[in-house]
Amino acid sequence: MTGKYHGRKPLVLCLGEVLWDILPGGRMLGGAPANVAWHAVQLGAETHLASAVGRDDPGKEILARLRGMGVGVSAVAEVEGWPTGTVEARIGANGDAGYVIHEKVAWDFIPCSPILLDVARRADAVYFGSLACRSTGSRQTIFTALAAARPE
């Protein structure tokens, strides 16, 4: 990926939820922004995720996984007092899926940080997840980062 990037990788910022999807077959890393971040890395971009995990073992595992996938996690906060997010998927008798998206979890409290704003100012593309906009704090952080991003 060169061209307009002058020999550097494009910089992608993904904002919002990162969580564990609890599926009938086991636990999977999830959250649309985390999924987009991983795919952007696969396409050759320098990618950063801005989110929050709990200061707990599931949160530490998420951070380790993201690092192993090549996703920048300097803007993922470890927040005290809130657990790492989970979504439980349930399959009904007719094969229909239902989801329990737990509230009052770490990604409901994504803080705005100087690191996040620095990445936002330099980003070539910004993606944000709509779920993280459900809480006032995370929504304000997302809007502040979007305002800091270059208009183009």
Side-chain angles (χ1 to χ4, degrees):
M1 291 189 177
T2 55
K4 74 177 189 174
Y5 301 108
H6 308 289
R8 67 171 176 84
K9 293 180 176 184
L11 176 61
V12 176
L13 171 61
C14 298
L15 296 153
E17 61 276 7
V18 64
L19 50 90
W20 287 112
D21 283 320
I22 311 300
L23 307 171
R27 185 175 73 161
M28 299 284 294
L29 183 61
N35 292 335
V36 169
W38 180 76
H39 285 287
V41 167
Q42 296 301 301
L43 291 170
E46 176 187 346
T47 306
H48 295 265
L49 178 66
S51 188
V53 296
R55 199 174 294 260
D56 52 24
D57 289 340
K60 290 179 188 352
E61 189 177 345
I62 283 176
L63 291 172
R65 263 240 201 137
L66 291 169
R67 284 185 193 103
M69 294 168 17
V71 175
V73 296
S74 60
V76 178
E78 290 182 80
V79 295
E80 193 70 48
W82 303 106
T84 296
T86 57
V87 171
E88 294 177 49
R90 299 180 180 146
I91 307 301
N94 297 328
D96 54 326
Y99 302 93
V100 177
I101 303 170
H102 294 278
E103 296 185 47
K104 304 261 189 242
V105 296
W107 57 265
D108 285 318
F109 303 95
I110 302 169
C112 194
S113 69
I115 292 169
L116 167 57
L117 294 177
D118 175 62
V119 174
R121 286 183 196 103
R122 296 182 296 116
D124 297 300
V126 179
Y127 170 88
F128 69 92
S130 59
L131 283 179
C133 290
R134 73 182 181 183
S135 67
T136 304
S138 291
R139 183 172 55 247
Q140 186 58 50
T141 295
I142 290 168
F143 290 172
T144 300
L146 290 172
R150 298 187 323 256
E152 70 277 8

